[in-house]
Amino acid sequence: LFVRCPLVWLSISDCGLDGKSDLDAIAEFVDSNPPLEYLDISANSFGAALASKLGSALSRNYRLRSVSLYGCVSTAAQANDLRAAST
């Protein structure tokens, strides 16, 4: 018996994600508006351009209830870019 269950919680914190392809894939996944409700990508690093792309994806995703980015944003400017892109 196989049961299909949607992925609703994903934690990939502290996985060493720092490359463009890693975080582009996450942004594309979020942008596809999957049934995901909780996403934890804390303790990974990414630059302002990727923060902006993720912020744009978050603004179009209406299912996510919580996103943890603790330790991902290294500067106040990156935090502001992410905040601005997601609104």
Side-chain angles (χ1 to χ4, degrees), residues 32 35 39 67 74 76:
S32 72
L39 174 64
V67 178
S74 59

Side-chain angles (χ1 to χ4, degrees), residues 32-73:
S32 72
N33 202 26
L36 190 66
E37 294 180 15
Y38 304 96
L39 174 64
D40 180 3
I41 57 172
S42 56
N44 290 293
S45 60
F46 51 88
L50 291 171
S52 178
K53 186 172 184 175
L54 181 60
S56 294
L58 288 170
S59 71
R60 291 185 291 275
N61 186 303
Y62 60 87
R63 293 181 173 152
L64 272 173
R65 295 175 186 226
S66 175
V67 178
S68 176
L69 299 167
Y70 180 78
C72 289
V73 179

Side-chain angles (χ1 to χ4, degrees), residues 1-3 7-9 20 22 27 40 47-48 51 57-58 61 65 69 71-72 76 79 81 83-85 87:
L1 173 70
F2 290 99
V3 178
L7 178 66
V8 294
W9 188 78
K20 182 177 179 340
D22 297 332
D40 180 3
L58 288 170
N61 186 303
R65 295 175 186 226
L69 299 167
C72 289
D81 288 345
R83 188 177 303 110
T87 57

